[in-house]
């Protein structure tokens, strides 16, 4: 795109934005430039402004991005997730938006039905997470899109917040980095789902069979990015069940593990609030398409008044890959 501009987000600790591009017509070269800037300058966050994408356009845009992030991830829908959009196997809906007509977006929905997955957010440390760390191959990247609809974004609250796990690791003392390279942590899908259920009593409960299909995963606390080769913290306040000494295989005491995960999360996000020098809080505008590198960031939704406002985002995921341990054993 001849008019495409890529620049760092002004006054923010991370993120690049793209102006003058259209993801419906972007070339492979355009996409390569965007992704390169995302890794090189954006610390893993890319914001493409002023898009006009139908659900099928989102599918095509993510197909263009997919070679840089392993591959597109089809949705396997667990309890509480949105119904499918015909012809869009890689797309789900987030938010408390109510359908404004029957079969909106071609979905099997009736007017007035909440058609997204709504997860009430809280303004606390536990809200921060990396997606899918409980999977055998955690997701490489996530994309969200705010469609061009009236009154489908809250005018206050509802931001998506990001903080860099690479910057946090680089800021630690060398002795602390060395200690952390010798630790792993256990990431539990059951713990994550029980947290969501506790926040939303009406949410469908996961079954013992579903839990058995997603056993806990053990990952290094320090991981290496396969493209940039930078080391970063790999923790998940939302689903960490234990921390383990890599050399002995023994878990450290539970209270100590909880304290360590909280301390490391604070090293990444500070107090986690918008305006914090470690945090980029993305204030959604219609037409924003945001993709982030799930390997090097923690992110969190921000609360909003769900009685007063509606919020709708299209969500797309990219497949997982093995977690590479620290570059210095």
């Amino acid at each position: 795109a001849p008019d495409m501009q890529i620049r760092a987000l002004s006054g923010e600790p991370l993120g690049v934005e793209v102006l003058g591009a259209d993801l419906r017509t972007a070339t492979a070269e355009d996409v390569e430039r965007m992704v390169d800037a995302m890794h090189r300058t954006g610390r893993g966050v890319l914001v493409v402004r002023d898009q006009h994408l139908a659900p099928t356009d989102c599918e095509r845009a993510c197909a263009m991005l997919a070679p840089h992030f392993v591959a597109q991830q089809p949705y396997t829908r667990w309890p509480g997730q949105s119904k499918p959009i015909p012809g869009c196997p890689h797309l789900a809906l987030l938010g408390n938006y109510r359908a404004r007509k029957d079969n909106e977006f071609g979905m099997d929905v009736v007017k007035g039905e909440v058609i997204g997955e709504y997860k009430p957010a809280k303004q606390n440390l536990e809200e921060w997470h990396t997606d899918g760390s409980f999977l055998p191959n955690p997701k490489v990247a996530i994309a969200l899109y705010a469609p061009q609809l009236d009154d489908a974004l809250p005018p206050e609250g509802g931001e998506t917040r990001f903080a860099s796990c690479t910057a946090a690791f680089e800021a630690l003392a060398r002795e602390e980095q060395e200690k952390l390279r010798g630790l792993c942590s256990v990431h539990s899908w059951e713990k994550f789902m029980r947290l969501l259920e506790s926040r939303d009593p009406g949410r469908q409960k996961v079954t013992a069979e579903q839990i058995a299909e997603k056993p806990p995963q053990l990952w290094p606390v320090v991981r290496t990015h396969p493209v940039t080769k930078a080391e970063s913290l790999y923790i998940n306040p939302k689903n960490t069940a234990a921390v383990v000494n890599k050399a002995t295989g023994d878990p450290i005491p539970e209270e100590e593990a909880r304290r360590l995960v909280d301390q490391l999360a604070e090293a990444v996000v500070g107090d986690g609030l918008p305006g914090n020098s470690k945090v980029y809080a993305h204030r959604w505008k219609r037409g924003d398409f945001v993709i982030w590198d799930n390997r090097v960031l923690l992110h969190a939704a921000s609360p909003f008044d769900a009685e007063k406002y509606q919020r709708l985002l299209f969500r797309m995921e990219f497949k997982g890959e093995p977690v590479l341990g620290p570059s210095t054993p």
Side-chain angles (χ1 to χ4, degrees):
D3 299 329
M4 184 170 80
Q5 251 188 305
I6 306 176
R7 63 190 187 192
L9 286 166
S10 177
E12 299 292 351
L14 58 154
V16 290
E17 65 178 347
V18 181
L19 306 172
D22 185 341
L23 289 173
R24 293 171 299 186
T25 56
T27 65
E29 186 185 357
D30 292 335
V31 169
E32 189 162 335
R33 281 179 59 203
M34 293 180 203
V35 174
D36 181 59
M38 170 187 179
H39 288 317
R40 202 165 27 84
T41 311
R43 286 204 180 270
V45 176
L46 175 72
V47 180
V48 189
R49 303 284 191 189
D50 303 317
Q51 299 303 294
H52 293 260
L53 306 177
T56 49
D57 296 324
C58 287
E59 284 274 340
R60 282 195 295 273
C62 285
M64 291 281 289
L65 286 156
H68 300 278
F69 302 103
V70 184
Q72 287 173 280
Q73 173 63 49
Y75 264 91
T76 51
R77 295 172 198 274
W78 61 54
Q81 289 193 317
S82 65
K83 293 176 180 176
I85 294 179
C88 298
H90 307 96
L91 199 148
L93 304 184
L94 284 185
N96 64 334
Y97 176 87
R98 292 183 179 274
R100 293 175 184 172
K101 58 185 179 183
D102 291 352
N103 306 118
E104 191 164 8
F105 305 119
M107 297 170 73
D108 179 20
V109 295
V110 296
K111 184 178 177 180
E113 179 180 341
V114 174
I115 63 173
E117 178 186 17
Y118 176 52
K119 298 184 277 195
K122 295 200 171 180
Q123 203 75 277
N124 61 17
L125 202 55
E126 200 176 41
E127 192 62 40
W128 288 86
H129 60 288
T130 173
D131 282 354
S133 65
F134 42 70
L135 298 172
N137 286 308
K139 298 160 195 169
V140 165
I142 313 292
L144 296 175
Y145 172 65
Q148 295 277 359
L149 291 169
D150 291 329
D151 302 319
L153 292 169
E156 51 194 3
E159 302 94 347
T160 303
R161 294 168 285 160
F162 301 97
S164 170
C165 297
T166 313
F169 183 74
E170 289 168 354
L172 294 174
R174 188 169 292 178
E175 305 75 45
E176 180 72 3
Q177 291 179 342
E178 206 50 53
K179 185 185 103 176
L180 295 172
R181 288 189 183 106
L183 297 176
C184 294
S185 62
V186 177
H187 297 248
S188 162
W189 183 69
E190 180 183 11
K191 186 170 185 219
F192 174 55
M193 297 310 290
R194 297 301 182 216
L195 174 73
L196 296 183
E197 290 165 6
S198 71
R199 290 187 182 181
D200 181 6
R203 187 184 177 96
Q204 191 179 342
K205 305 290 187 281
V206 295
T207 64
E209 291 77 15
Q210 288 167 327
I211 290 165
E213 286 170 9
K214 288 194 173 73
Q217 303 293 327
L218 184 69
W219 297 125
V221 167
V222 178
R223 73 181 292 177
T224 300
H225 194 283
V227 177
T228 67
K229 307 304 179 192
E231 288 180 303
S232 65
L233 295 173
Y234 192 53
I235 53 162
N236 204 337
K238 242 179 181 172
N239 72 21
T240 302
V243 177
V244 175
N245 181 307
K246 198 189 293 186
T248 65
D250 296 329
I252 68 174
E254 191 177 340
E255 194 52 47
E256 187 184 332
R258 190 179 298 114
R259 211 164 40 241
L260 176 66
V261 171
D262 285 351
Q263 283 168 359
L264 294 178
E266 283 169 15
V268 177
V269 310
D271 64 10
L273 298 175
N276 175 322
S277 65
K278 296 176 188 283
V279 170
Y280 167 52
H282 183 75
R283 152 77 52 205
W284 286 96
K285 297 176 188 162
R286 285 163 48 154
D288 280 352
F289 180 97
V290 177
I291 180 169
W292 69 92
D293 189 328
N294 193 49
R295 296 166 288 198
V296 294
L297 297 159
L298 289 182
H299 68 279
S302 297
F304 68 97
D305 187 341
E307 298 297 313
K308 204 169 172 184
Y309 304 120
Q310 292 190 23
R311 182 179 191 257
L312 177 67
L313 297 170
F314 295 169
R315 184 177 192 276
M316 297 133 281
E317 301 179 331
F318 295 83
K319 285 201 173 194
E321 65 184 9
V323 175
L324 301 178
S327 56
T328 312

